[in-house]
Amino acid sequence: MRCVLRSLRPSVLFALAFVLACWRTAAPARVEPLTLLPAEASLVAHVDLQALRAAPLWQHNRALLDADPDARRTLDALAACRVPFENLRTLDLAVAANGVDVAAVLVGDGVGERGRLACLEGQLPDRGLKLDTSGPEPVVVLRGARGRIVGPDVLLLGTAGWSQQLDALRAGTGASAATGPLQPLIARIAMGRPIWFAGQVPTKAAVSLAPALSGLEQVRGALDLRDGLGVELALGMRGEDVAGATLAELKKQFEALRGAGIPPAILDRVGLGQTGREVTIEVRLGMAEIAALHGLAEALRPAPAPAPASPASP
């Protein structure tokens, strides 16, 4: 009998360890936001809020956000409801070709927990945010949009015109932006950029922008915030010849800026080029150049009008 018990001990310990391992709360699976946005989106954009907060440019200007009373009230409400701005991770947006329907995926600690959402409803009563729990699942009601809880850390918001598409995507049956028509554009964006966007440009919208951009069909871009501000923009034109004409016009307009008082060292940080039917624009400004531009803007700002003199007392 003693021999039997000895032989059972390893297997019993193994089984016990297996049960305990399975008993632990599993970490929620990471959600790829683009898989929750409709494939028919005409424009998609991504903001890495963690990288944005770590950027020197953000940290230099954070005081402006804190000084705004409305922004400060929102930040205080988020903190009071245990959804602090510092714990928000990413925000992804999609816009339909009609310019009306919009969807957004917000990822952050606790953004999908109903208790915290109910708290925000109470903290910000004038924002139109309500948590409707009358149906089979809670719905976040906003002005012109509805939100669904995808998980404790994921909230999906959208306008009424995309409600069916968003429900299908949550169920895993819809076509998403991750594999939609914009995917080739998204794939060409430089990795690691905290803010990026890609989209199709309707003909009417292109014509309304500027004559030089009348042949614009696609646009993709990103911001590099590691040391100052880097802007990377690619304009997809109707053809290579159109791209060449657009580049020539942009260079002409850019040269005109050299007489506008902008320091040459800053203008030299701007690059214009062409790759196939794409016109590329790159701007690289360090914090020193940004400070110089800020000083120039302040110097060019008109002086405030003097206050009218008070009437002399009799």
Side-chain angles (χ1 to χ4, degrees), residues 171-240:
T173 59
S176 77
T179 56
L182 292 180
Q183 196 279 331
L185 270 181
I186 297 171
R188 298 181 65 188
I189 294 172
M191 295 291 291
R193 299 299 186 252
I195 301 174
W196 56 258
F197 59 89
Q200 309 283 351
V201 181
T203 302
K204 289 183 179 179
V207 172
S208 67
L209 291 173
L213 298 178
S214 59
L216 182 62
E217 294 183 339
Q218 298 176 334
V219 61
R220 60 182 173 88
L223 298 184
D224 183 358
L225 303 176
R226 289 172 296 181
D227 179 23
L229 174 64
V231 180
E232 302 160 354
L233 190 63
L235 309 177
M237 310 305 291
R238 191 167 51 244
E240 289 191 27

Side-chain angles (χ1 to χ4, degrees), residues 62-150:
R62 172 61 195 261
L64 297 176
L65 184 65
D66 291 331
D68 182 86
D70 194 53
R72 184 69 260 171
R73 180 167 165 260
T74 301
L75 293 173
D76 290 343
L78 290 170
C81 295
R82 296 183 299 124
V83 193
F85 179 67
E86 290 72 21
N87 287 359
L88 301 181
R89 297 197 288 272
T90 59
L91 175 65
D92 289 77
L93 303 168
V95 182
N98 60 16
V100 175
D101 289 310
V102 180
V105 180
L106 178 62
V107 179
D109 296 350
V111 298
E113 292 188 8
R114 63 173 69 188
R116 305 188 194 195
L117 292 169
C119 174
L120 286 173
E121 177 183 348
Q123 288 280 334
L124 301 169
D126 57 327
R127 302 297 173 83
L129 185 152
K130 294 187 179 299
L131 183 64
D132 182 1
T133 57
S134 60
E137 62 177 346
V139 177
V140 178
V141 181
L142 296 168
R143 292 169 184 160
R146 296 291 184 271
R148 303 282 186 176
I149 295 173
V150 179

Side-chain angles (χ1 to χ4, degrees), residues 178-308:
T179 56
L182 292 180
Q183 196 279 331
L185 270 181
I186 297 171
R188 298 181 65 188
I189 294 172
M191 295 291 291
R193 299 299 186 252
I195 301 174
W196 56 258
F197 59 89
Q200 309 283 351
V201 181
T203 302
K204 289 183 179 179
V207 172
S208 67
L209 291 173
L213 298 178
S214 59
L216 182 62
E217 294 183 339
Q218 298 176 334
V219 61
R220 60 182 173 88
L223 298 184
D224 183 358
L225 303 176
R226 289 172 296 181
D227 179 23
L229 174 64
V231 180
E232 302 160 354
L233 190 63
L235 309 177
M237 310 305 291
R238 191 167 51 244
E240 289 191 27
D241 56 337
V242 179
T246 299
L247 176 61
E249 180 61 26
L250 289 178
K251 285 184 175 180
K252 179 181 177 182
Q253 295 179 11
F254 178 74
E255 288 302 317
L257 293 175
R258 295 191 179 276
I262 300 176
I266 292 178
L267 293 176
D268 291 342
R269 305 299 294 272
V270 179
L272 301 174
Q274 179 181 352
T275 303
R277 68 184 190 94
E278 280 191 337
V279 175
T280 58
I281 303 172
E282 289 199 8
V283 182
R284 302 283 176 186
L285 297 176
M287 294 300 294
E289 288 87 2
I290 293 172
L293 276 178
H294 178 73
L296 178 63
E298 289 295 320
L300 295 176
R301 179 181 297 178

